[in-house]
């Protein structure tokens, strides 16, 4: 079985420890994809030094030149879309049509960010004084530490790496240990596109070793992290002590509101997709269905019928609707929350609730799509992120109660409302305490040219995607040019 080394300064670099970890297919544990470098602080330091050296030239390269390299990466991503998607499905499990969408998000992001090479707009504004100009420019921050999760192994690295590069930063990239192969192909694609040696460095490994070393390294200027709230809080604490810039994209407990005037068939399809796509392993997954009591019975019947028809299996099988859970630890976490839902919360289990082991499923980490009913906002399973194919139906009397339930968690990432009443829809978009609101659509489905992120414990205020992400990856420099030929004193000379 092939061993894969880190990629540092454009070269394949074996780990300092000499150790490698296996990457297994969560749908079939007999299928080992390869072995990957188990990196430590020595490897991270080597990568940082390479990135620091490369930064001296890369930051001076015209943004349009950087954009051309990203545009070449865009073309290569299109060419290799299916290959990347197949690898994703094999190493993280979600069905092939979904991984194609994941790679398409990376393609779209590359195209969008390549265009920023001709924009990267600053602000030009009148000075308060005569014969004086005032404007701003964007400049890179330095070496960016990129730490990504396993559930979107092409899209999320693209969300972070492409804007970091177009702004002139260099990168040390640590992917999740569950999806190192997609990361390898992604970085090799950038090398093929012409990225200079040392501009993007790939370091495999685990959070306690490579991740900690990155966050603590004094020559990494910023950290962009997507993952759990607990880990994000830990990163923020470390970065806060050294005043290191960090962007945290963390958990969600997203609710789909369904009012009595909704298109019920559409609402059912939205709930099905939002709850069980990627086996519920999305930060934007629909883990709460908040529904008016007058349509509760009808909705529940339709939703339950469709959920029971979902087919579990290998994501490359065209008949599969729902793939595996990523690993045993996550499987145990989901099982724990189902037990809490039954024993502590006293929620009514309508279907699912256990690991699926029949036939070929016994070789992987599969969990049955699970629906709880009779939910209320004080339940543990209504408050804490499960990150699996589990959703809770929560009946309410009206929109005001629905908004109260929606906003009752410590998270604020995504929400949706199904209604034909424009007044109620606009009220929901205004009152929802979250970063993303969908009307007559599920809680999943972000687009790369719009900001992505949330309120409260979902993040620390920054946004990914769109043009707002550029604010994180750049410093703003304000420039004043006085051509009056005399000393002018701002706020004093006013004539």
């Amino acid at each position: 079985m092939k061993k894969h080394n880190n990629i540092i300064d454009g070269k394949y670099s074996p780990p300092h420890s000499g150790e490698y970890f296996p990457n297994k297919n969560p749908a079939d544990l007999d299928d080992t994809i390869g072995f990957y470098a188990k990196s430590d602080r020595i490897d991270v330091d080597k990568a940082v030094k390479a990135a620091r050296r490369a930064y001296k030239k890369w930051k001076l390269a015209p943004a349009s030149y950087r954009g051309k390299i990203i545009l070449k990466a865009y073309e290569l991503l299109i060419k290799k879309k299916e290959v990347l998607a197949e690898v994703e499905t094999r190493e993280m499990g979600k069905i092939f049509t979904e991984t194609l969408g994941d790679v398409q998000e990376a393609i779209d992001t590359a195209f969008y960010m390549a265009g920023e090479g001709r924009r990267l707009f600053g602000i030009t504004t009148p000075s308060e004084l005569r014969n004086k100009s005032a404007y701003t420019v964007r400049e890179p921050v330095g070496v960016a530490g990129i730490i990504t999760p396993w559930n979107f192994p092409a899209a999320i690295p693209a969300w972070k790496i492409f804007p970091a590069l177009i702004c002139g930063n260099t990168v040390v990239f640590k992917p999740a240990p569950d999806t190192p192969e997609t990361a390898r192909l992604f970085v090799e694609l950038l090398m093929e596109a012409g990225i200079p040696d040392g501009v993007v460095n790939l370091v495999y490994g685990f959070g306690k070793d490579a991740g900690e070393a990155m966050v603590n390294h004094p020559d990494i200027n910023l950290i962009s992290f997507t993952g759990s709230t607990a880990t994000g809080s830990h990163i923020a604490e470390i970065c806060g002590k050294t005043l290191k810039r960090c962007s945290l994209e963390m958990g969600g407990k997203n609710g789909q509101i369904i009012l009595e005037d909704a298109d019920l068939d559409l609402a059912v399809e939205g709930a099905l997709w939002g709850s069980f796509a990627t086996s519920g392993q999305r930060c934007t997954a629909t883990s709460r269905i908040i529904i008016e009591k007058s349509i509760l019975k009808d909705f529940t019947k339709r939703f339950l019928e469709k959920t029971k028809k979902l087919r579990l299996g290998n994501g490359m099988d065209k008949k599969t609707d729902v793939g595996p859970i990523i690993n045993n630890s996550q499987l145990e976490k989901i099982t724990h929350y189902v037990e809490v839902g039954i024993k502590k919360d006293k929620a009514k289990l309508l279907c699912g609730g256990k690991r699926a082991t029949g036939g070929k499923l016994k070789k992987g980490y599969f969990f049955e799509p699970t629906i709880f009913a009779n939910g209320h906002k004080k339940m543990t399973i209504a408050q804490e992120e499960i990150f699996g194919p589990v959703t809770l139906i929560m009946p309410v009397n009206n929109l005001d109660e629905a908004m109260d339930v929606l906003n009752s968690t410590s998270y604020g990432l995504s929400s949706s409302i199904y209604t034909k009443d424009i007044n109620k829809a606009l009220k929901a978009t205004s009152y929802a305490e979250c970063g993303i609101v969908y009307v007559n659509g599920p809680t999943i489905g972000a687009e790369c040219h719009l900001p992505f992120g949330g309120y409260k414990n979902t993040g620390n205020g920054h946004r990914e995607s769109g043009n707002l992400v550029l604010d994180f990856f750049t410093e703003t420099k304000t420039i004043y040019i006085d051509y009056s030929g005399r000393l002018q004193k701002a706020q004093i000379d006013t004539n």
Side-chain angles (χ1 to χ4, degrees):
M1 188 66 62
K2 187 172 182 180
K3 293 181 178 179
H4 296 285
N5 293 316
N6 296 321
I7 301 176
I8 298 175
D9 206 14
K11 303 175 184 64
Y12 295 93
S13 176
H16 169 256
S17 66
E19 298 179 22
Y20 296 79
F21 62 90
N23 178 20
K24 291 184 176 292
N25 182 343
D28 181 1
L29 298 178
D30 291 338
D31 177 21
T32 300
I33 298 160
F35 291 85
Y36 298 79
K38 188 177 181 182
S39 305
D40 59 20
R41 62 181 182 81
I42 303 298
D43 301 298
V44 169
D45 185 63
K46 185 177 178 180
V48 173
K49 286 177 178 176
R52 181 60 60 190
R53 288 192 300 270
Y55 176 65
K56 294 177 182 179
K57 290 186 178 180
W58 182 248
K59 71 175 182 178
L60 299 176
S64 60
Y65 168 77
R66 299 193 294 257
K68 287 178 181 178
I69 293 176
I70 294 174
L71 189 61
K72 179 62 177 178
Y74 157 80
E75 294 168 350
L76 291 171
L77 281 166
I78 293 174
K79 181 180 178 181
K80 300 180 179 184
K81 180 177 178 178
E82 292 199 2
V83 172
L84 280 163
E86 287 177 5
V87 167
E88 273 199 47
T89 293
R90 187 181 173 198
E91 71 175 348
M92 70 77 55
K94 63 185 173 184
I95 62 175
F96 185 57
T97 53
E98 285 191 53
T99 54
L100 284 171
D102 189 339
V103 180
Q104 185 60 49
E105 182 77 3
I107 292 169
D108 295 342
T109 301
F111 187 69
Y112 180 85
M113 284 299 159
E116 285 299 330
R118 294 286 178 177
R119 292 187 292 266
L120 282 183
F121 297 136
I123 299 168
T124 301
T125 186
S127 169
E128 66 185 50
L129 298 173
R130 297 176 185 273
N131 299 314
K132 187 176 182 181
S133 297
Y135 62 95
T136 69
V137 295
R138 293 185 182 274
E139 293 191 347
V141 180
V143 177
I146 305 295
I147 303 174
T148 61
W150 44 264
N151 58 339
F152 286 85
I156 293 178
W159 280 6
K160 298 175 185 294
I161 292 174
F162 288 137
L165 294 178
I166 198 65
C167 292
N169 303 284
T170 54
V171 168
V172 177
F173 170 33
K174 192 201 85 65
D178 297 286
T179 52
E181 180 66 5
T182 304
R184 180 181 73 84
L185 295 178
F186 185 85
V187 172
E188 288 181 342
L189 182 146
L190 288 174
M191 294 165 69
E192 186 178 347
I195 203 78
D197 292 349
V199 171
V200 177
N201 304 275
L202 173 63
V203 178
Y204 306 111
F206 296 85
K208 62 184 178 65
D209 300 313
E212 284 278 348
M214 286 176 63
V215 175
N216 282 284
H217 201 292
D219 284 333
I220 286 184
N221 301 94
L222 61 86
I223 295 290
S224 180
F225 167 82
T226 298
S228 73
T229 299
T231 302
S233 178
H234 176 64
I235 290 172
E237 182 179 0
I238 296 171
C239 291
K241 290 177 180 178
T242 59
L243 303 182
K244 182 178 295 186
R245 185 180 299 196
C246 71
S247 172
L248 306 174
E249 182 56 47
M250 301 179 288
K253 194 65 183 174
N254 315 292
Q256 174 179 315
I257 295 172
I258 308 173
L259 301 185
E260 61 183 359
D261 68 336
D263 181 330
L264 211 54
D265 288 332
L266 184 63
V268 169
E269 291 298 329
L272 199 72
W273 178 235
S275 300
F276 305 123
T278 319
S279 301
Q281 299 172 118
R282 296 185 182 214
C283 55
T284 54
T286 307
S287 57
R288 297 179 298 151
I289 298 170
I290 305 163
I291 183 167
E292 285 195 293
K293 291 177 181 178
S294 59
I295 56 171
L296 174 64
K297 184 176 180 180
D298 192 6
F299 170 83
T300 301
K301 179 183 177 182
R302 299 190 202 188
F303 185 47
L304 187 58
E305 286 176 352
K306 285 187 175 290
T307 299
K308 287 182 176 180
K309 292 178 181 178
L310 295 174
R311 294 160 296 190
L312 294 169
N314 190 303
M316 290 305 299
D317 185 341
K318 293 181 179 180
K319 295 180 180 179
T320 296
D321 299 306
V322 179
I325 305 304
I326 187 64
N327 54 40
N328 188 61
S329 175
Q330 188 62 27
L331 190 71
E332 289 177 349
K333 177 184 176 183
I334 296 166
T335 302
H336 164 74
Y337 273 112
V338 169
E339 291 174 355
V340 168
I342 295 171
K343 296 177 181 179
K344 178 187 174 184
D345 292 337
K346 307 299 181 184
K348 183 179 181 181
L349 181 65
L350 298 183
C351 69
K354 63 182 185 299
R355 182 175 183 176
T357 57
K360 293 181 179 180
L361 301 183
K362 65 182 179 182
K363 290 187 176 183
Y365 301 122
F366 293 91
F367 200 91
E368 295 176 348
T370 300
I371 302 173
F372 280 106
N374 299 344
H376 59 78
K377 65 181 183 181
K378 292 184 178 180
M379 288 180 173
T380 299
I381 60 171
Q383 292 294 320
E384 298 182 14
E385 186 178 40
I386 300 172
F387 221 66
V390 181
T391 194
L392 173 65
I393 298 175
M394 307 176 73
V396 294
N397 292 301
N398 51 48
L399 176 59
D400 287 339
E401 187 179 344
M403 297 310 301
D404 175 66
V405 171
L406 177 73
N407 295 331
S408 66
T409 78
S410 62
Y411 297 105
L413 180 52
S414 181
S415 67
S416 78
I417 181 168
Y418 282 78
T419 179
K420 296 175 183 175
D421 187 325
I422 186 63
N423 293 328
K424 290 180 178 179
L426 290 176
K427 183 176 181 179
T429 64
S430 177
Y431 282 48
E433 296 172 358
C434 57
I436 305 168
V437 184
Y438 296 89
V439 176
N440 294 325
T443 61
I444 63 177
E447 299 180 28
C448 77
H449 57 293
L450 292 165
F452 182 93
Y455 297 6
K456 300 188 277 190
N457 289 353
T458 286
N460 65 336
H462 295 289
R463 290 294 183 267
E464 308 228 77
S465 295
N467 67 334
L468 292 187
V469 72
L470 303 175
D471 294 338
F472 176 70
F473 285 108
T474 54
E475 297 280 13
T476 296
K477 179 179 286 184
T478 302
I479 299 171
Y480 298 100
I481 302 175
D482 191 322
Y483 50 95
S484 66
R486 65 184 182 87
L487 173 63
Q488 298 190 90
K489 299 174 182 179
Q491 294 87 46
I492 296 175
D493 289 347
T494 58
N495 295 324

